Amino acid sequence: MKKKNALKIRRRHSELSYHAMMLPGMIFLLIFSYIPMFGLWMAFQEYAPAKGILGSPWVGLMHFKYMSTLPDIGLLVRNTVVIALGKIVIGTVMAILFAILLNEVKNKLLKKSVQTIVYLPHFLSWVVLASVVVNFFNLDGSVNQMLGTLGMEKINFLGSNQLFQPLLIGTDVWKEFGYNSIVYLAAITAIDPGLHEAAAIDGASWRKRVWHITLPGMMPIILLMAAMNLSSILSAGFDQVYNLYSPMVYETGDILDTYVYRMGLISRQYSFGTAVGLLKSVIGMVLMVSSNGLAKKFTDRKIF
Amino acid sequence: MRNKNLWKKSIVLGMTLTMILFLAACGADNTKEPKDGKSSQSGDGAQTEENTDPYGAYEETVTCTLGRQTLQNPKIPEGDSYENNAYTDWVEKRFNVDLTNAFEANDGEDYERQVSLAIASEELPDMMIVGRATLEELVEDDLVEDLTSSYDNYATDYIKGIYDSYDGRCLDSATFDGKLMAIPSTNPDSAPSQIWIRQDWLDKLEIKLDEDGNAAITREELEMVAKAFLEKDPGESGNPVGISFTYDMNGSETLEMQAISASFGAFQKQWFQKEDGTVYNGSTTPEMKKTLEYMNQLFKDGILDPQFGTRTWDDITALMTNGQTGIIFGAWHIPDWLLSNVKSMDQNAAFTAFALEDDKGKVNVFHNNPAANYVVVRKGYEHPELAIKIVNLFHDERVTSKTLKDDAPEVYEYEQLGVDGSVRPLRIEVNSNVSLLNDYGAIVQCVNGDITIDEVPTLEAKNIVGCVQRYNEDPNTTDVIDWARYHSRMKGIQLIQDLTDYDSLVWVSPLYLGTTKTMKNKSANLDKLEAETFIKMIIGEESTDQFDSFVEQWNAQGGAAICEELAEKAQ
């Protein structure tokens, strides 16, 4: 009895120290994520900083109604969803493919160095990368010089409404697929190698094994990531778009975030900005919860 | 036992961290409260009793925080910064104050964002520069100090005389309900937007411009020069570009198409009142349509930069310093801060300024808004008169003192070096409405030997006389400042003088009435519509035949409502 109790106490003690380590993080979460939620009140007010949250007049759903009458709202939502979906779908597929291929590399040194190289762009900010992208893709850039030597006509990628979205999606996928593949690599290593060996003995080719063992084994993680990503479907990457767009490509490049930035912060319409932000979060949450439901229904796996 | 100690320690550590966090958060709030309370009491009574010396120093050191507008490549001596330089030292020593920067941000959107954040977080710096719309908002929300008595008691006669030269138009724009709520930066008329063309390239290609000698060129001449520069590539860059504009489409005079639209009688983004009282915007006129048709033609002919629509300011600066373009649109003062980059890269660079004339040989210009920016003082700041004192120091004493060299040698040196005016604590200009041509007249007289250097009115003008004389002695000088001052005055202002003498200028007066309610809500949208449509029409992605439907859309999206509000305000 005594021994058991002592064990219990010791375990609780060791757990408590972990909890204590979590405490600063929890406090940060509280201060920076939960307390600011009270600011959502602003979405239903005509907020003026001088009057404060308590003193500003209540306007109900006015900002939401105004949003629906905006002439560009359809365009903005369409651009945002197209760009975000493109990034999510292509980004996920690329990351999974890369993880599977990298897993086959047997040379450790090669594997590690390739991994490090593809992670690198993730740690550069778009402010820096944007100038790199511009230098590559403007009319005098290296891409156009290549096209020129091939005898093709020069293309103004950054000013073309047909090519701007692919450019955004492509450069974002390039920047992030390496980093995103970490999770998938981890998921692959968690698959029992016995399954592969058994399949190999039964004569399954590499392709068959990937299709019937690796991918199903990764499925829970893929679903989890997809559902999490879906919640950000209305965030198409402010810093990337902001640093690359111009009025010429507003038609395909202007997204909710850049629009709210121009309206909310530069023209100082705080309440309107908050209202759009709130709507974005609500839609994101609905999508996440429903994708969780769908995942449960079709694959019998649930995320939370 | 060890374990027990460990987790005890971790908990203590965690709790200490929490405490520190909360204390830090609370501390910031606590210090703020009593300060505000005290200041509102001392504000009124004390200042009238004290002496009203326009240059009086404080007995105890006064602190003052500033919101600073910076430039991307300002000319500042090495080791000096926006926060610590000869100008800030001068203020600190002279008045016994301690200046610190609450924030620094590049002029334009970056600075606007900082101001927005400062307002939203209710942490205004003691003094900062704001635009008209922000000023109105700050006054409405009662966030800025009334400066009426500070101005009356502390401003020097010289400063008051300058503001009076605008017949009250300038101070009026900062006056709300009879109270002066800000110090306006003056903005003398400086139009038209000029076209600066590389004279060394013209000479090389043996092109003669403006043969009728009226200082203005026609659109055909402009096209001819651009084509010649494109074909012959006098800058030997291998990749010449004709005329390049930024995508901003703000209707600004620099690196935008203002000179061209004015030659059609269009004034982008300016509000005008018709005789019947109705108000319209210059961007929606038939003249604007003609401008866009012409710009579209320039684009098709390859004279306009094929990358128009994505070019930023920095891109175009690179084009001119690389010798790719030699035709630059801008105000008379661009040699001082923009074209000087070209001279730094290419010793042979020289420019001549031209105006662009309309079909009748006239040059269309509009009167500037007499007040461009405003200095505001935070509500509750103990020493609002400090703002006036700083203005006195920089726009009276610095300009008019004959003994500055001995009194403040560092400041005098700054003037000689041509250090950027933006490093002064308050980035405003206070010049009389006729100062531009008056000062210029004195400079010319002095250079010609008709008057002595002591008779030249301001320190700045005196310095320029020196620059011009040095440049005249050796036009191949490597001194960029001499080169720049010579160009901005002897070419830039000379052009305005010539146009005035030939009676070529046709003036129009836009309405300057600040912002209206609809403008506040809808202008971001209207700006987007306008910039997008104009760029598309110019590059031919949308036909200029669609202009009428643009105007309809513009009116429907709030433009018409703004016109009505302005017409009401104008009555």
Side-chain angles (χ1 to χ4, degrees), chain B residues 187-479:
Chain B
N187 193 17
D189 282 327
S190 67
S193 171
Q194 308 183 346
I195 304 172
W196 292 83
I197 302 179
R198 284 286 287 263
Q199 185 60 45
D200 50 328
W201 292 5
L202 291 176
D203 294 343
K204 196 172 171 184
L205 305 179
E206 292 174 352
I207 299 172
K208 284 227 161 32
L209 281 178
D210 184 32
E211 301 214 337
D212 55 352
N214 66 351
I217 55 172
T218 60
R219 288 190 290 267
E220 289 72 34
E221 281 178 294
L222 176 67
E223 288 168 45
M224 184 264 289
V225 174
K227 269 186 197 148
F229 282 3
L230 273 172
E231 280 161 19
K232 313 250 170 70
D233 189 16
E236 286 161 16
S237 65
N239 193 4
V241 171
I243 300 171
S244 199
F245 294 125
T246 72
Y247 65 62
D248 292 334
M249 287 276 149
N250 292 326
S252 139
E253 58 199 343
T254 302
L255 301 189
E256 292 191 34
M257 60 177 186
Q258 198 197 84
I260 293 177
S261 36
S263 80
F264 286 99
F267 301 96
Q268 198 189 345
K269 284 202 193 290
Q270 302 295 331
W271 303 93
F272 295 96
Q273 191 168 27
K274 283 190 215 160
E275 277 177 14
D276 62 3
T278 55
V279 171
Y280 66 95
N281 189 287
S283 297
T284 62
T285 55
E287 288 84 3
M288 197 70 232
K289 185 182 176 186
K290 274 191 219 154
T291 307
L292 294 172
E293 280 164 358
Y294 179 72
M295 290 285 288
N296 177 232
Q297 192 57 48
L298 288 186
F299 186 82
K300 278 190 214 150
D301 294 345
I303 291 172
L304 190 65
D305 182 357
Q307 292 194 57
F308 172 75
T310 51
R311 289 283 197 202
T312 63
W313 192 289
D314 288 344
D315 294 341
I316 301 177
T317 313
L319 288 181
M320 44 181 134
T321 49
N322 293 343
Q324 285 173 267
T325 184
I327 304 175
I328 296 129
F329 286 57
W332 64 267
H333 45 74
I334 63 167
D336 290 340
W337 51 274
L338 186 60
L339 301 183
S340 51
N341 294 323
V342 183
K343 170 72 177 174
S344 311
M345 295 294 286
D346 183 351
Q347 278 309 320
N348 301 320
F351 284 89
T352 302
F354 299 96
L356 195 64
E357 62 186 41
D358 66 7
D359 300 333
K360 295 180 203 114
K362 295 284 186 189
V363 177
N364 301 312
V365 274
F366 63 89
H367 283 295
N368 273 347
N369 191 350
N373 280 314
Y374 301 85
V375 174
V376 289
V377 177
R378 173 176 64 83
K379 181 97 182 170
Y381 181 60
E382 292 92 331
H383 299 285
E385 73 286 352
L386 178 60
I388 312 280
K389 286 183 181 177
I390 295 176
V391 171
N392 289 339
L393 193 62
F394 283 98
H395 300 286
D396 184 351
E397 179 162 319
R398 181 184 63 89
V399 178
T400 57
S401 166
K402 299 223 188 303
T403 55
L404 189 69
K405 198 173 181 177
D406 304 317
D407 299 344
E410 292 89 3
V411 173
Y412 185 78
E413 200 192 321
Y414 259 41
E415 299 295 323
Q416 299 299 313
L417 289 171
V419 172
D420 203 281
S422 67
V423 305
R424 291 175 208 148
L426 300 177
R427 193 192 171 200
I428 58 168
E429 293 298 335
V430 183
N431 295 315
S432 102
N433 196 21
V434 288
S435 56
L436 201 64
L437 291 181
N438 276 1
D439 284 4
Y440 176 67
I443 292 167
V444 174
Q445 279 180 313
C446 188
V447 169
N448 294 340
D450 297 337
I451 59 172
T452 66
I453 188 88
D454 286 333
E455 288 173 86
V456 176
T458 64
L459 177 67
E460 199 187 5
K462 281 180 187 142
N463 281 332
I464 290 160
V465 170
C467 293
V468 172
Q469 281 168 338
R470 282 194 295 275
Y471 182 90
N472 280 342
E473 272 166 35
D474 174 22
N476 295 320
T477 174
T478 52
D479 188 316

Side-chain angles (χ1 to χ4, degrees), chain A residues 283-302:
Chain A
I283 294 176
M285 203 175 102
V286 168
L287 282 173
M288 194 160 75
V289 171
S290 50
S291 60
N292 186 39
L294 285 178
K296 197 188 163 206
K297 193 173 172 198
F298 290 113
T299 64
D300 221 21
R301 286 190 182 109
K302 192 156 95 145

Side-chain angles (χ1 to χ4, degrees), chain A residues 203-224:
Chain A
S205 66
W206 177 74
R207 234 175 262 175
K208 288 263 178 213
R209 275 182 283 141
V210 166
W211 190 251
H212 292 288
I213 299 170
T214 315
L215 277 177
M218 289 165 77
M219 220 24 140
I221 297 288
I222 296 177
L223 281 177
L224 172 76

Side-chain angles (χ1 to χ4, degrees), chain A residues 13 27 49-50 66 72 139-140 161 242 246-248 251 254 259 261-263 265-266 268-270, chain B residues 7 18 109 113 116 119 122 134 137 141 239 247 307-309 520-521 524-525 528 532 536 539 541:
Chain A
H13 286 177
I27 291 167
Y66 175 57
D72 291 338
L139 275 186
D140 318 318
N161 276 316
Y242 178 70
S246 61
M248 223 159 130
E251 191 182 316
D254 202 12
Y259 187 79
Y261 167 79
R262 288 203 309 275
M263 291 285 284
L265 209 48
I266 296 304
R268 272 195 289 287
Q269 302 197 39
Y270 306 107
Chain B
W7 77 259
T18 329
E109 209 175 275
R113 187 181 51 225
S116 297
I119 296 175
E122 294 174 57
T134 313
E137 196 179 318
D141 293 344
N239 193 4
Y247 65 62
Q307 292 194 57
F308 172 75
K520 211 179 151 230
N521 291 330
N525 228 358
K528 175 186 169 176
E532 203 180 359
K536 278 186 181 169
I539 65 168
E541 219 169 83

